[in-house]
């Protein structure tokens, strides 16, 4: 075994990776810098500086008009967003570019599932933003996730994913269940298995063609999002098969998967979207960012029928960061933009448009969801419910391969039990096998 | 050969031999034109030009091939002998053949190989048979034949993504159109994505749908090159349409059929987009039991989702070798068929 560190071979390594990617990654966003170079650092008024922001999915900055606003405030700055829709395409691309030292955008978004990998392996490729901002603005656990052991903060928190339960009031009524959001929350408070009990009641008198929940995996993710331990311990060791959080979440998911209360859908699939439109499930564990999605997919049929109640435990699911790669040409301007975009006022604006929940608590008292969203969700106090959850979420330690391990459990283990009718023990073994493959064991 | 050389050696005739040569250049050559100057730099240049130009003309392809195929190919081989993570490209550990050992002892690899083979068979055979049949129909005198031909090529022109999305909806187990039709025949809803053969069948239909028209057009082109008198004399001998198809069309199409078989086999070995998109969010797994994970998907999953670039490179190289074997088998079959003809 010979270990060698080949910095000089970066370029060649990148060529090989790029070649491997050719034909695999279709539709890479193009990232042409328009070539308007401006070498005088931060030279105000000396011509246009184009800053590029690399994001995945819908970040809401464009939708909330933040770029336009910033460009108005800073006439010398031009902002261009490069969007890659799928995270699984976006992240490998960023990784290779970071290591090649070229081709990165001036600001690069990082998903929470990748933040540990970035912190542990790419920290030297990012600007320490902790020096630039007042760190106390952010939720402690959010800031901790983007900070290295020696205190370097490589990304500023954008949104967080505090969790609630979105439910169909009309279906609950037909099934003869409680419909009041506070009383419901009381019924399942503190324990996800109580939520499963409500599901069993629902299934006794379920309206025809409906199930209690969309999928067992969503319950698993929701439950794990509030656990003290996920797949890795504080020191970065894989402990997935000993983790208490994984065990209890798995058990809850199994009781959902084996009791006919699930619509057996896979989240973010087209059939799942159809499920929203046709009202085939009565509840879904909804992180704040899913609010807009539900409204969009359920359409008019769901208007006023959806309601939001507090989840059994405070949990987080998803949320992102933005970092400034050191390879960028306009670091100073990029840092200023990143600071501005993640400041509480701007996060509040994104919330008003996209319902992505801020990671800066000082924004909470003044949050205003869009009027039609409030009406859509039966005037539920969305802001209150999500901020209560956000403030009490435990700090979770993510690992380098957190995402592939999670996919192995939900999309292999749980899915085999839920959709193929296998025994929970078989599902667990299958997940175990898969995770071995992920970890290269 | 000698005569042309002599002709070239003569300065006067050389000016004629190269009509494009500017007069000044000819004069220059002539000026130096003692009989001993037969091997003047100009004629040497000309000969060199004759020899080298063709290489210069074909060079661009080979330079591009070298830069974008050969070098990456060799680098992938280098990677496959190392332990490389996507997140730490410049930190490589020499692993020897560990990646390959790991791969060949992995049930997922053999499973992917088997799936690639079965899905390839499930999609290629019906696709080519259907294409042959369709092109036979299109070869008849038809009103608006161009319209039919264009319509047939439309699936090929649609993007994989769009086609697969539609098929995913058709095959969705709850409320999909396929299950809806089946229930009229008393068949219970099939979970197309999670059942073993069902998912492979579904993926194959997408491939068949997209490529049948393309192959049919190739067959049609070949069919139209078959002399009409062959059919006329066959008809005179009392051969039916079916007999004409079997005894005239098929033998005449043999080289074309071989070509489409080779191309489809290569396509099937590299199958990637359809199963990836059919699988939805975690498509690279190819279903919860990897029931439709092809080699291409397995490589993508290892390299880009999990981040084990070393192992992914080993898969890439194994795929390359498999393709070479497939090509060799095809070559042997072609030879044998030619001999028997």
């Amino acid at each position: 075994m010979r270990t060698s560190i080949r910095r000089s071979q970066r370029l060649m390594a990148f060529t090989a990776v790029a070649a491997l990617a050719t034909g695999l990654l279709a539709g890479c966003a193009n990232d042409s810098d328009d070539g308007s170079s401006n070498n005088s650092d931060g030279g105000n008024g000396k011509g246009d500086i184009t800053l590029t922001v690399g994001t995945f999915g819908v970040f809401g900055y464009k939708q909330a008009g933040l770029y336009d606003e910033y460009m108005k405030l800073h006439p010398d700055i031009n902002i261009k967003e490069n969007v890659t829709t799928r995270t699984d395409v976006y992240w490998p691309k960023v990784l290779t570019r970071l290591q090649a030292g070229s081709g990165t955008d001036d600001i690069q978004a990082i998903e929470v599932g990748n933040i540990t990998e970035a912190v542990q392996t790419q920290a030297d490729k990012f600007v320490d933003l902790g020096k630039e901002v007042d760190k106390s603005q952010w939720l402690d656990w959010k800031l901790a996730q983007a900070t290295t052991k020696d205190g370097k903060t490589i990304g500023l928190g954008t949104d967080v994913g505090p969790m609630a339960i979105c439910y169909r009031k009309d279906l609950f009524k037909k099934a003869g269940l409680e419909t009041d959001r506070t009383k419901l929350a009381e019924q399942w408070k503190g324990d996800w298995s109580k939520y499963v009990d409500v599901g069993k009641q629902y299934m006794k008198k379920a309206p025809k063609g409906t199930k209690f929940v969309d999928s067992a995996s969503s319950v698993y993710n929701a439950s794990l999002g509030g656990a003290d331990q996920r797949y890795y311990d504080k020191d970065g060791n894989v402990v997935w098969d000993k983790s208490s959080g994984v065990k209890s979440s798995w058990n809850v998911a199994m009781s959902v998967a084996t009791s006919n209360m699930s619509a057996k859908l896979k989240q973010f699939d087209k059939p799942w979207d159809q499920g929203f439109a046709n009202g085939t499930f009565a509840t879904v564990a909804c992180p704040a960012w899913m609010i807009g999605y539900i409204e969009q997919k359920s359409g008019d049929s769901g208007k006023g029928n959806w309601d939001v109640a507090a989840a059994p435990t405070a949990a987080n699911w998803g949320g992102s960061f933005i970092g400034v790669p050191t390879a960028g040409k306009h670091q100073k301007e990029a840092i200023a933009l990143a600071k501005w975009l993640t400041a509480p006022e701007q996060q509040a604006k994104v919330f008003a448009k996209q319902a992505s929940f801020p990671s800066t608590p000082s924004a909470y008292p003044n949050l205003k969801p869009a009027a039609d969203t409030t009406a859509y969700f039966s005037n539920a106090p969305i802001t209150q419910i999500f901020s209560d959850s956000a403030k009490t979420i435990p700090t979770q330690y993510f690992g380098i391969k957190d995402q592939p391990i999670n996919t192995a459990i939900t999309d292999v283990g749980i899915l085999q039990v839920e959709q193929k009718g296998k025994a929970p023990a078989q599902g667990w073994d299958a997940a175990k096998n898969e995770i071995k493959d992920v970890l290269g064991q | 050969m000698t005569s042309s050389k002599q002709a070239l050696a003569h300065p006067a005739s050389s000016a004629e031999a190269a009509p494009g040569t500017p007069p000044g250049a000819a004069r220059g050559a002539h000026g130096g034109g003692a009989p001993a100057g037969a091997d003047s730099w100009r004629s040497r240049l000309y000969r060199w030009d004759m020899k080298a130009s063709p290489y210069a003309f074909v060079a661009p392809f080979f330079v591009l091939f070298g830069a974008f195929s050969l070098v990456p190919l060799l680098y992938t081989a280098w990677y496959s002998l190392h332990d490389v993570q996507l997140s730490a490209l410049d930190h490589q550990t020499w692993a020897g053949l560990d990646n390959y050992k790991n791969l060949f002892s992995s049930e997922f690899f053999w499973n992917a190989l088997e799936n690639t083979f079965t899905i390839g068979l499930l999609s290629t055979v019906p696709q080519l048979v259907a294409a042959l049949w369709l092109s036979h129909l299109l070869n008849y005198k038809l009103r608006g034949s161009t319209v039919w031909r264009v319509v047939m090529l439309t699936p090929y022109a649609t993007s994989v993504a769009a086609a697969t999305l539609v098929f995913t909806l058709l095959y969705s187990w709850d409320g999909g159109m396929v299950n809806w039709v089946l229930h009229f025949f008393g068949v219970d809803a099939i979970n197309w994505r999670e059942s073993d053969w069902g998912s492979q069948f579904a993926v194959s239909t997408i491939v068949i749908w997209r490529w049948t028209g393309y192959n049919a057009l190739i067959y049609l082109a070949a069919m139209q090159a078959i002399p009409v008198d062959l059919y006329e004399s066959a008809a005179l001998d009392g051969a039916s349409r079916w007999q004409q198809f079997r005894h005239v069309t098929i033998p005449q199409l043999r080289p074309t059929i071989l070509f489409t078989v080779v191309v489809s086999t290569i396509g099937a070995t590299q199958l990637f987009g359809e199963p990836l998109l059919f699988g939805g969010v975690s498509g690279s797994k190819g279903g919860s039991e990897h029931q439709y994970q092809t080699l291409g998907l397995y490589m993508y999953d290892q390299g880009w989702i999990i981040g084990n670039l070393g192992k992914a490179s080993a898969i890439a190289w194994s795929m390359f070798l498999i393709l070479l074997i497939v090509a060799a088998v095809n070559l042997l079959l072609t030879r044998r068929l030619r001999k028997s003809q």
Side-chain angles (χ1 to χ4, degrees):
Chain A
M1 289 284 182
R2 185 167 64 91
T3 308
S4 53
I5 298 174
R6 303 159 198 278
R7 287 184 183 276
S8 64
Q9 285 181 345
R10 268 186 196 163
L11 189 70
M12 289 168 104
F14 179 64
T15 316
V17 172
L20 205 75
T22 312
L24 290 184
L25 303 178
C28 294
N30 77 51
D31 50 78
S32 62
D33 195 303
D34 68 357
S36 61
S37 59
N38 186 331
N39 293 328
S40 59
D41 265 0
N44 277 348
K46 284 186 184 174
D48 278 352
I49 297 173
T50 299
L51 293 178
T52 55
V53 183
T55 63
F56 48 85
V58 180
F59 252 65
Y61 290 154
K62 195 182 259 170
Q63 289 76 1
L66 291 189
Y67 296 141
D68 289 337
E69 196 181 332
Y70 193 80
M71 286 190 276
K72 235 176 237 166
L73 290 171
H74 303 82
D76 56 324
I77 303 275
N78 223 334
I79 304 173
K80 208 174 135 243
E81 190 180 46
N82 294 323
V83 188
T84 307
T85 318
R86 291 177 62 144
T87 334
D88 58 344
V89 176
Y90 171 82
W91 185 240
K93 200 166 67 182
V94 173
L95 275 182
T96 50
R97 287 180 179 176
L98 280 174
Q99 293 174 74
S102 74
T104 52
D105 291 311
D106 293 298
I107 290 180
Q108 210 77 68
I110 309 164
E111 221 266 339
V112 62
N114 303 120
I115 191 69
T116 311
E117 186 176 7
V119 164
Q120 287 183 10
T121 67
Q122 312 295 324
D124 56 329
K125 315 257 181 353
F126 281 101
V127 173
D128 183 1
L129 292 168
K131 287 179 190 154
E132 313 282 343
V133 294
D134 173 12
K135 290 200 246 183
S136 66
Q137 285 183 86
W138 278 269
L139 290 162
D140 294 340
W141 56 268
K142 182 79 174 172
L143 189 82
Q145 284 175 341
T147 307
T148 63
K149 274 186 190 145
D150 47 3
K152 185 179 174 186
T153 304
I154 66 160
L156 297 177
T158 58
D159 61 321
V160 288
M163 198 96 63
I165 301 289
C166 293
Y167 66 101
R168 288 282 299 253
K169 226 171 34 182
D170 54 332
L171 297 180
F172 266 53
K173 200 172 179 187
K174 278 184 200 159
L177 293 188
E178 179 61 60
T179 54
D180 181 72
R181 61 182 82 89
T182 24
K183 286 182 187 156
L184 259 181
E186 227 23 75
Q187 278 185 18
W188 57 50
K189 193 173 176 167
D191 196 342
W192 282 91
S193 63
K194 290 186 192 163
Y195 168 76
V196 177
D197 291 341
V198 175
K200 283 177 185 157
Q201 279 179 46
Y202 178 89
M203 290 317 291
K204 279 182 197 154
K205 272 182 73 184
K208 198 173 173 289
T210 69
K211 300 281 181 184
F212 181 64
V213 66
D214 61 331
S215 70
S217 294
S218 76
V219 178
Y220 173 84
N221 279 332
S223 162
L224 189 66
D228 288 323
Q229 196 172 49
R230 289 173 65 92
Y231 305 117
Y232 288 76
D233 66 12
K234 270 185 196 173
D235 306 316
N237 304 311
V238 198
V239 293
W240 78 275
D241 52 351
K242 295 182 217 87
S243 157
S244 57
V246 173
K247 249 177 216 162
S248 61
S249 305
W250 172 267
N251 290 338
V252 174
M254 285 304 111
S255 55
V256 171
T258 53
S259 58
N260 193 37
M261 66 171 71
S262 158
K264 302 183 184 179
L265 295 162
K266 219 168 149 187
Q267 293 200 315
F268 298 101
D269 257 1
K270 284 279 166 253
W272 188 60
D273 293 351
Q274 284 185 325
F276 276 116
N278 303 335
T280 48
F281 46 85
T283 66
V284 57
C286 55
W289 45 262
M290 205 187 270
I291 290 284
Y293 194 89
I294 295 174
E295 193 182 336
Q296 188 196 344
K297 297 297 173 188
S298 296
D300 287 341
S301 70
K303 196 169 183 178
N305 287 329
W306 281 101
D307 205 328
V308 186
T313 56
N316 182 65
W317 182 2
S320 301
F321 301 82
I322 54 178
V324 176
T326 48
K329 280 183 213 133
H330 310 292
Q331 269 178 43
K332 202 174 156 192
E333 292 80 1
I335 292 169
L337 175 59
K339 263 169 80 173
W340 188 81
L341 284 175
T342 52
E345 308 85 64
Q346 273 63 251
Q347 293 207 18
K349 285 173 200 159
V350 177
F351 177 78
K353 179 74 194 169
Q354 206 70 33
S356 296
F357 208 76
S359 53
T360 45
S362 68
Y364 296 171
N366 308 318
L367 284 185
K368 276 202 192 81
D372 52 335
T373 305
T374 315
Y376 200 92
F377 288 92
S378 316
N379 297 315
I382 299 176
T383 318
Q384 188 61 46
I385 293 170
F386 286 129
S387 33
D388 285 351
S389 173
K391 286 177 195 160
T392 49
I393 294 166
T395 303
Q396 292 195 320
Y397 295 92
F398 284 69
I400 287 191
K401 303 233 159 152
D402 217 89
Q403 270 195 335
I405 294 178
N406 195 63
T407 312
I409 291 193
T410 56
D411 293 9
V412 172
I414 296 176
L415 208 66
Q416 284 195 10
V417 178
E418 188 176 34
Q419 298 205 6
K420 303 194 76 164
K422 296 207 167 174
Q426 280 175 303
W428 181 258
D429 281 344
K432 200 173 194 169
N433 216 355
E434 187 78 29
I435 291 170
K436 266 190 192 168
D437 194 50
V438 166
L439 298 172
Q441 289 169 345
Chain B
M1 205 56 201
T2 16
S3 66
S4 74
K5 243 183 194 168
Q6 278 165 350
L8 278 177
H10 199 277
S13 63
S14 83
E16 286 164 23
T21 322
R27 220 177 296 131
H30 196 96
D39 239 11
S40 71
W41 69 269
R42 195 177 150 269
S43 62
R44 251 183 290 149
L45 192 69
Y46 182 79
R47 250 179 293 150
W48 192 81
D49 178 39
M50 288 285 283
K51 271 190 197 145
S53 299
Y55 294 102
F57 292 145
V58 294
F61 170 77
F62 287 95
V63 169
L64 286 177
F65 173 80
F68 293 103
S69 296
L70 196 64
V71 171
L73 190 74
L74 296 177
Y75 241 88
T76 311
W78 174 254
Y79 264 19
S80 74
L81 301 175
H82 287 79
D83 199 357
V84 198
Q85 292 289 312
L86 183 61
S87 53
L89 287 176
D90 41 10
H91 192 96
Q92 307 175 359
T93 316
W94 175 256
L97 292 175
D98 281 1
N99 281 325
Y100 289 93
K101 272 185 214 153
N102 187 321
L103 190 62
F104 295 142
S105 62
S106 153
E107 52 172 314
F108 297 126
F109 172 74
W110 295 108
N111 169 62
L113 186 62
E114 195 188 317
N115 288 342
T116 310
F117 183 73
T118 48
I119 296 176
L121 217 59
L122 267 177
S123 57
T124 311
V125 176
Q127 168 195 332
L128 293 183
V129 172
L132 205 55
W133 176 67
L134 273 174
S135 58
H136 179 63
L137 293 185
L138 280 180
N139 203 21
Y140 289 131
K141 280 204 177 90
L142 283 177
R143 214 173 280 168
S145 57
T146 323
V147 176
W148 295 111
R149 285 168 201 177
V150 169
V151 166
M152 229 164 49
L153 205 58
T154 335
Y156 174 63
T158 23
S159 78
V160 192
T164 311
L165 265 183
V166 173
F167 273 87
T168 309
L169 286 179
L170 292 180
Y171 281 116
S172 84
W173 78 279
D174 188 20
M177 207 197 241
V178 178
N179 278 345
W180 178 72
V181 170
L182 283 180
H183 106 267
F184 288 114
F185 298 95
V187 181
D188 284 341
I190 295 169
N191 190 337
W192 290 100
R193 193 149 70 185
E194 289 308 320
S195 75
D196 292 340
W197 67 268
S199 57
Q200 297 204 355
F201 175 82
V203 171
S204 302
T205 49
I206 309 172
V207 181
I208 294 171
W209 183 79
R210 279 195 76 227
W211 288 90
T212 303
Y214 171 83
N215 283 308
L217 279 198
I218 292 180
Y219 288 148
L220 185 63
M223 276 180 193
Q224 298 199 321
I226 300 173
V228 189
D229 12 335
L230 283 178
Y231 289 103
E232 281 170 357
S233 53
L236 278 178
D237 289 342
S240 67
R241 277 264 156 91
W242 170 243
Q243 281 169 328
Q244 289 178 21
F245 179 69
R246 263 190 64 198
H247 297 291
V248 181
T249 314
I250 296 284
Q252 292 285 324
L253 280 186
R254 200 172 275 167
T256 317
I257 293 175
L258 271 172
F259 168 76
T260 54
V261 167
V262 174
V263 171
S264 310
T265 315
I266 293 176
T269 316
Q270 297 175 329
L271 188 66
F272 175 73
E274 286 89 347
L276 177 77
L277 295 166
F278 182 70
V281 189
S282 57
S284 62
K285 290 258 177 276
S288 65
E289 283 190 291
H290 299 245
Q291 63 269 28
Y292 52 94
Q293 187 177 46
T294 60
L295 279 176
L297 280 189
Y298 187 50
M299 174 172 76
Y300 181 71
D301 193 43
Q302 280 293 332
W304 300 107
I305 307 295
I306 297 174
N308 292 331
L309 274 190
K311 195 168 167 191
S313 305
I315 303 171
W317 258 81
S318 308
M319 271 176 83
F320 178 62
L321 294 179
I322 290 166
L323 271 177
L324 284 186
I325 294 171
V326 168
V329 170
N330 267 314
L331 195 73
L332 280 177
L333 281 179
T334 321
R335 280 214 186 126
R336 181 155 294 179
L337 276 173
R338 262 201 208 123
K339 265 182 201 158
S340 71
Q341 211 171 14

